[in-house]
C-alpha cells in the first residue's frame, strides 16, 4: 500500500473534512515511537528484576525502589516537559527525550552497583516523563479531528508493542540470566528514535503560539492534502490566540473553566493508574509466582499478557473514531472490574490447582484486554484534546505529572501491600476502583469524537459542563 493510499484510509465516516496527508501520518508514526521507548523501558524491568535482585542481593523493598525510581523521575520529567515543550517546541522535547533514553539504557546495562542502576533508571524516567507529555500533544496538534483519536491511540499501541517486545526479550534471555543484555538492548531503538526525531517538523500550533505564522502555514500545508483546509485551521488557531487571558499557570489561576479541564485531566490520569495496570506490568512474574507458577512459566505468561495488551490496543485504534471515547472507556472499566474480582477470588481459593492457575491467567488476560481497549489509549487521547491551546502545555503537564506520581506511589508500595493485605484483598481494592471509574466516566467525560480542538476549547471556555464539551 502506498503512502497516498494509506492517507485515504483515514477519512471520517461521514465524509466531513479532508483527510490528513500521508506526510501527517508518517510524522505521527515517527512521534509515536516515543511510546515504543516508553513501553520497552516499562516492560523490561519485569523480567530483569529477579536476576538483578540475585546479583546485588536486593530485597523486596530495594526492588521496589529499583522499579519505582523510574516513575519518580518520570514525574519530575513531566513537570519540566511543559516548560521545555512551550519554550523549545514539542519536536525538540522529543529529541531531548531520545538522548536521555539512549544514555539511560547504556548506564543500566553497565551498572556496577544498585546506585548506578537506579541513576540509569532515573535518566530513563526523565525521558519517559518528557516523551509521554510531548508525543500525544504533538500528535494531537498535527492531525485532523477525524483521525485524531486513532493517531494518539497509535502512540499507546507503540507502548504496548514495546512492553510485549521487552517481555519476549526477557523470556529469551532469562535462561542465561542475562539481565544486562535485557537492559542494554534498549539502546538500539533509542538510537533509531533519535534519528526519527531529527526529521520531525515543528507543530504548527506551537509555531503560531510563538508568533511565527509564516512557518506555521508552511508546516500546515505540508501536513494537509487540501490548502483550503490548512488555511482554515491556521485562521482558527489565530482566532483562539487572540482571545483575552493569560497562558499556562496564569490562565489556570484566572480562568475557572480552564481549571475544570485541568482537574478532569488529573482525574483521568489517577483513574488510569488506580486500575492496577502498571503493577501488573512491573510485577507480573511475581504475581504469577504467588499463584504457584514456576519461574519460566511466569515469564512466558507475562509475555502473553504483553501480546494481549498489544492486540487489544489495535482494537481500540480501529474503533475509537467509530464508537467514540465514552462507550469504549465505560466498557473498559467494566471489564477490568469483573476481571479483578475474578483474580481476587482465585487468589482467595489459593491458586494451587491447574484449573485455578488457568483461571488466573484468563482473569489477568481479560483485565489487560479491558485496559487496552479503553483506559490505556483513551486517557492520553482525552488529556490531549480537552485542554485549550493557551494552556495546553500547562494542563497536560499537570495531568502527566499526576500519572507518574500515582504510578510511582503504587509501584513503590505494591509488594509491601500485597504482603500485608494478601493478594485477594489487593485485587479486590483494584476492582472497587475500576467500578468507581465507570461512574466518573458517565458523569464527567465528554465525547470528543469528530470534534475539532478549537470547538472543544470554545465550549469549555463558554462554561458548558465537562460532559458536554464534545458531541
Amino acid at each position: 500500500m502506498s503512502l497516498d493510499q494509506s492517507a485515504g484510509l483515514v477519512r471520517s465516516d461521514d465524509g466531513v473534512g479532508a483527510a490528513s496527508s500521508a506526510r501527517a501520518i508518517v510524522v505521527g508514526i515517527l512521534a509515536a515511537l516515543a511510546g515504543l521507548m516508553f513501553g520497552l523501558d516499562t516492560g523490561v524491568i519485569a523480567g530483569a528484576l529477579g536476576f538483578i535482585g540475585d546479583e546485588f542481593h536486593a530485597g523486596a523493598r530495594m526492588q521496589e525502589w529499583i522499579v519505582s525510581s523510574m516513575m519518580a523521575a518520570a514525574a519530575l520529567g513531566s513537570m519540566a516537559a511543559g516548560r521545555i515543550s512551550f519554550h523549545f517546541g514539542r519536536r525538540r522535547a522529543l529529541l531531548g527525550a531520545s538522548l536521555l533514553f539512549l544514555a539511560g539504557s547504556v548506564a543500566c546495562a553497565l551498572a556496577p552497583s544498585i546506585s548506578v542502576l537506579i541513576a540509569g533508571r532515573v535518566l530513563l524516567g526523565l525521558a519517559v516523563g518528557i516523551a509521554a507529555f510531548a508525543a500525544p500533544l504533538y500528535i494531537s496538534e498535527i492531525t485532523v479531528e477525524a483521525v485524531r483519536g486513532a493517531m494518539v491511540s497509535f502512540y499507546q499501541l507503540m507502548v504496548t508493542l514495546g512492553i510485549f517486545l521487552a517481555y519476549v526479550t526477557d523470556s529469551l534471555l532469562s535462561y542465561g540470566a542475562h539481565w544486562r543484555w535485557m537492559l542494554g538492548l534498549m539502546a538500539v531503538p533509542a538510537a533509531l528514535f533519535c534519528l526519527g526525531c531529527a526529521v520531525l517538523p515543528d507543530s504548527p500550533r506551537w509555531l503560531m503560539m510563538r508568533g511565527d505564522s509564516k512557518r506555521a502555514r508552511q508546516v500546515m500545508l505540508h501536513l494537509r492534502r487540501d490548502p483550503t483546509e490548512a488555511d482554515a485551521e491556521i485562521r482558527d488557531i489565530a482566532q483562539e490566540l487572540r482571545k483575552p487571558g493569560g497562558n499556562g499557570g496564569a490562565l489556570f489561576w484566572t480562568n475557572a473553566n480552564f481549571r475544570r479541564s485541568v482537574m478532569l485531566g488529573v482525574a483521568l490520569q489517577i483513574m488510569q493508574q488506580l486500575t492496577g495496570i502498571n503493577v501488573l506490568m512491573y510485577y507480573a512474574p511475581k504475581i504469577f509466582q504467588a499463584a504457584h507458577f514456576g519461574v519460566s512459566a511466569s515469564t512466558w505468561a507475562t509475555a502473553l499478557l504483553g501480546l494481549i495488551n498489544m492486540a487489544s490496543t489495535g482494537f481500540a485504534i480501529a474503533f475509537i473514531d467509530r464508537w467514540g471515547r465514552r462507550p469504549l472507556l465505560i466498557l473498559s472499566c467494566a471489564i477490568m472490574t469483573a476481571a479483578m474480582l475474578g483474580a481476587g477470588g482465585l487468589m482467595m481459593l489459593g491458586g494451587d490447582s491447574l484449573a485455578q492457575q488457568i483461571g488466573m491467567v484468563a482473569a489477568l488476560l481479560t483485565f489487560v484486554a479491558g485496559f487496552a481497549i479503553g483506559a490505556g489509549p483513551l486517557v492520553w487521547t482525552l488529556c490531549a484534546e480537552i485542554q485549550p491551546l493557551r494552556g495546553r502545555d500547562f494542563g497536560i503537564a499537570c495531568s502527566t505529572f499526576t500519572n507518574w506520581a500515582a504510578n510511582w506511589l503504587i509501584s513503590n508500595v505494591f509488594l509491601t501491600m500485597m504482603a500485608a493485605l494478601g493478594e485477594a484483598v489487593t485485587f479486590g481494592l483494584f476492582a472497587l476502583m475500576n467500578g468507581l471509574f465507570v461512574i466518573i466516566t458517565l458523569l464527567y467525560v465528554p465525547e470528543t469524537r469528530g470534534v475539532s480542538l478549537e470547538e472543544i476549547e470554545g465550549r469549555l471556555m463558554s462554561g458548558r459542563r465537562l460532559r458536554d464539551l464534545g458531541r
Side-chain angles (χ1 to χ4, degrees):
M1 181 182 295
S2 70
L3 287 176
D4 289 333
Q5 288 173 318
S6 67
L9 293 177
V10 299
R11 293 182 182 275
S12 60
D13 290 340
D14 57 6
V16 177
S20 293
S21 71
R23 294 189 188 98
I25 296 172
V26 172
V27 167
I29 290 172
L30 286 175
L33 292 178
L36 180 69
M37 294 308 307
F38 179 174
L40 286 168
D41 290 306
T42 296
V44 71
I45 197 63
L49 189 60
F51 302 120
I52 292 170
D54 292 341
E55 179 161 334
F56 293 121
H57 307 291
R61 189 71 188 115
M62 182 55 70
Q63 290 182 40
E64 286 177 334
W65 277 107
I66 291 171
V67 172
S68 65
S69 59
M70 191 177 91
M71 283 78 254
L76 295 176
S78 67
M79 290 178 66
R83 296 186 68 83
I84 294 170
S85 177
F86 180 79
H87 290 291
F88 300 104
R90 290 78 161 108
R91 179 180 69 85
R92 291 178 183 85
L94 288 171
L95 182 59
S98 69
L99 295 173
L100 288 170
F101 276 125
L102 184 58
S105 298
V106 173
C108 287
L110 301 178
S113 65
I114 287 182
S115 59
V116 175
L117 177 63
I118 289 178
R121 295 276 295 169
V122 166
L123 290 178
L124 292 174
L126 293 172
V128 167
I130 295 170
F133 170 94
L137 173 60
Y138 180 82
I139 295 168
S140 73
E141 290 187 343
I142 66 166
T143 52
V144 295
E145 57 269 17
V147 295
R148 190 175 59 238
M151 287 303 297
V152 176
S153 295
F154 186 79
Y155 164 82
Q156 182 66 21
L157 178 63
M158 289 294 98
V159 175
T160 62
L161 174 61
I163 292 172
F164 172 64
L165 291 176
Y167 285 167
V168 171
T169 302
D170 286 353
S171 299
L172 294 173
L173 293 174
S174 65
Y175 295 105
H178 300 301
W179 67 267
R180 292 185 185 275
W181 279 102
M182 294 177 190
L183 302 181
L185 284 174
M186 302 302 106
V188 176
L192 296 176
F193 177 47
C194 185
L195 293 175
C197 289
V199 301
L200 293 177
D202 283 311
S203 160
R205 284 174 169 82
W206 178 78
L207 290 170
M208 290 290 288
M209 290 171 62
R210 310 308 293 173
D212 195 346
S213 58
K214 182 178 179 180
R215 282 185 61 205
R217 184 175 183 274
Q218 289 174 345
V219 173
M220 191 68 83
L221 288 170
H222 182 75
L223 296 174
R224 298 290 180 265
R225 295 170 65 183
D226 184 353
T228 303
E229 179 191 7
D231 287 334
E233 284 195 56
I234 291 294
R235 287 195 300 271
D236 288 343
I237 296 168
Q239 182 178 350
E240 290 299 327
L241 290 173
R242 283 194 293 267
K243 292 181 179 179
N247 293 312
L251 185 65
F252 179 81
W253 293 113
T254 58
N255 192 297
N257 288 317
F258 179 44
R259 288 197 292 273
R260 292 189 302 138
S261 67
V262 172
M263 290 301 104
L264 178 57
V266 166
L268 286 169
Q269 294 289 7
I270 292 174
M271 279 175 53
Q272 189 191 69
Q273 291 308 305
L274 291 182
T275 60
I277 185 63
N278 277 324
V279 295
L280 183 58
M281 295 293 104
Y282 303 143
Y283 297 115
K286 291 186 177 294
I287 293 171
F288 283 120
Q289 287 171 29
H292 305 287
F293 283 69
V295 174
S296 179
S298 347
T299 306
W300 283 107
T302 301
L304 183 58
L305 289 181
L307 177 62
I308 294 298
N309 191 21
M310 182 177 64
S312 300
T313 302
F315 175 89
I317 290 175
F319 290 97
I320 186 173
D321 288 311
R322 298 182 187 179
W323 291 3
R325 282 63 159 156
R326 277 170 58 88
L328 280 175
L329 192 53
I330 291 168
L331 177 63
S332 170
C333 293
I335 291 173
M336 288 189 290
T337 301
M340 279 296 184
L341 285 173
L346 288 168
M347 283 291 193
M348 190 175 295
L349 292 174
D352 295 323
S353 70
L354 177 61
Q356 290 172 352
Q357 290 179 342
I358 293 173
M360 185 67 179
V361 172
L364 293 182
L365 290 177
T366 301
F367 170 79
V368 168
F371 176 84
I373 67 170
L378 289 174
V379 165
W380 295 106
T381 300
L382 286 163
C383 285
E385 291 176 331
I386 61 176
Q387 306 301 343
L389 179 58
R390 287 171 295 144
R392 192 163 294 151
D393 293 271
F394 179 86
I396 297 178
C398 290
S399 59
T400 306
F401 170 78
T402 302
N403 176 284
W404 289 111
N407 193 334
W408 170 80
L409 179 63
I410 295 170
S411 62
N412 196 41
V413 301
F414 176 71
L415 292 180
T416 304
M417 183 172 69
M418 197 163 65
L421 300 178
E423 295 88 351
V425 174
T426 301
F427 283 115
L429 288 175
F430 284 127
L432 179 63
M433 290 294 100
N434 282 293
L436 177 62
F437 299 152
V438 173
I439 299 172
I440 292 174
T441 302
L442 288 169
L443 293 177
Y444 298 108
V445 175
E447 178 52 72
T448 55
R449 176 174 65 95
V451 185
S452 73
L453 297 179
E454 287 69 37
E455 287 179 285
I456 295 170
E457 177 172 346
R459 292 168 185 172
L460 172 70
M461 292 307 189
S462 69
R464 283 202 196 181
R465 63 181 180 174
L466 292 171
R467 193 175 64 187
D468 296 333
L469 295 183
R471 287 174 175 253

